[in-house]
Amino acid sequence: MINMFNLNLFKKIGVALYLFIYLIIPYSAITQTLKIDFVRNLENSLNARDLEFIRKNFRNYENQNIQKQFSKIINDFPESKWEIKKLKSNIPNKEILRIKVSGEKIVNEEIHILESNFDYLFSVVNGKIDDGIIKNLFTTIRNDNNKIDISFKIPDKVLTGSKYDIDIILNKPLEEVIIAGAIKPHQVNSLFEQEIILEPLMTGGIFKMTRAPSKPEIQIWSGVIAHPDGMITFTKSIDIVDQI
């Protein structure tokens, strides 16, 4: 039965997930050469919950919004940790940071594990990060202690207007147990305004064929699998491009 699952808990965790996506996007101050020291200091400041660093290094009009969202994600995952490293970029006038965030919290005596990985592409203009874009985002929050054997087959990049498959596969489906789930696309600026309604899954996962938008953009899919062993929420970004 679907009502055996704590859907209210998912809604709360889902908001935290969306807040995390927005936390890294805003512009930040940085040296023109993107020195390793800055990357290390940024990582240390996030792990130390150093809001003073954010106040000093983010543009004034972003400060209040960033601090509010930063406080919320820390409240939801108090032990979260950031790992940041600079990647070599082959894109002209672009820098790349690879960011990993992990954390956990206990809700109703259950441990919820956050894992998120993404690349952050941006330009440096007059000492400020500009034109920031998140690529290859994949985030999960799960409370099943990794008991659910699940595979996510969602592409990182697809051509504009092309058809593509999204498959979330339960590798060991349960024969007579109802599993609930859903998946939904989001525009980046409307994540807070959309809800995901769970429905019974009659197959071993979520299988969806869809068509990419006709113009280049970042498309985000969010979903959830509710299973007798626990719940998994996920968010995946797809880069819609006009050539590969």
Side-chain angles (χ1 to χ4, degrees):
M1 300 292 291
I2 295 179
N3 58 13
M4 76 173 62
F5 303 108
N6 191 341
L7 303 187
N8 289 329
L9 177 60
F10 161 69
K11 290 180 180 179
K12 181 177 179 181
I13 295 174
V15 170
L17 180 61
Y18 300 153
L19 287 170
F20 167 73
I21 294 173
Y22 280 97
L23 176 63
I24 305 297
I25 291 178
Y27 307 142
S28 73
I30 192 170
T31 61
Q32 190 71 28
T33 56
L34 193 69
K35 293 181 179 179
I36 294 177
D37 284 348
F38 178 85
V39 176
R40 186 180 299 115
N41 289 338
L42 176 60
E43 178 182 282
N44 290 340
S45 68
L46 291 171
N47 287 325
R49 316 319 188 219
D50 184 1
L51 294 181
E52 183 62 26
F53 181 90
I54 294 176
R55 283 191 288 269
K56 289 181 177 179
N57 291 283
F58 285 74
R59 292 183 175 181
N60 289 336
Y61 70 90
E62 292 285 358
N63 277 342
Q64 292 184 351
N65 188 39
I66 294 169
Q67 291 180 48
K68 180 180 179 181
Q69 293 176 7
F70 184 84
S71 297
K72 285 183 178 180
I73 189 65
I74 295 304
N75 182 65
D76 284 330
F77 288 92
E79 304 300 322
S80 57
K81 298 294 183 183
W82 277 257
E83 297 178 26
I84 305 175
K85 63 180 180 180
K86 182 178 180 293
L87 300 184
K88 181 178 179 180
S89 175
N90 295 320
I91 305 173
N93 302 317
K94 288 288 186 182
E95 303 282 357
I96 304 176
L97 296 179
R98 176 151 293 172
I99 300 177
K100 177 180 180 180
V101 181
S102 57
E104 66 179 52
K105 67 175 180 178
I106 298 176
V107 179
N108 297 329
E109 300 183 349
E110 294 181 340
I111 299 177
H112 295 257
I113 305 296
L114 163 70
E115 293 187 2
S116 184
N117 295 274
F118 59 92
D119 295 335
Y120 182 54
L121 283 68
F122 58 92
S123 301
V124 180
V125 179
N126 297 325
K128 302 279 187 177
I129 288 181
D130 205 351
D131 299 324
I133 301 174
I134 285 180
K135 303 272 190 177
N136 304 323
L137 168 72
F138 182 56
T139 298
T140 60
I141 300 174
R142 53 195 301 171
N143 67 348
D144 66 315
N145 197 28
N146 289 321
K147 292 180 180 178
I148 302 173
D149 186 2
I150 190 169
S151 299
F152 296 90
K153 297 185 180 297
I154 307 175
D156 293 327
K157 181 185 299 184
V158 297
L159 284 171
T160 53
S162 64
K163 291 183 179 180
Y164 65 96
D165 294 321
I166 293 176
D167 297 329
I168 295 89
I169 305 168
L170 293 172
N171 296 315
K172 295 181 180 179
L174 305 178
E175 293 182 357
E176 297 183 356
V177 176
I178 296 178
I179 300 170
I183 187 170
K184 188 171 186 178
H186 299 277
Q187 298 298 320
V188 173
N189 294 325
S190 63
L191 287 174
F192 291 101
E193 302 171 3
Q194 301 190 38
E195 295 183 353
I196 298 175
I197 306 301
L198 298 187
E199 298 179 352
L201 300 179
M202 296 297 103
T203 59
I206 299 173
F207 302 90
K208 182 178 182 64
M209 175 179 286
T210 187
R211 185 179 294 276
S214 59
K215 296 180 180 180
E217 63 177 60
I218 301 295
Q219 190 173 40
I220 295 177
W221 289 87
S222 296
V224 59
I225 295 287
H227 186 285
D229 285 332
M231 183 175 291
I232 301 173
T233 69
F234 57 91
T235 297
K236 178 72 175 73
S237 71
I238 301 176
D239 196 7
I240 310 299
V241 298
D242 53 14
Q243 60 179 359
I244 295 180

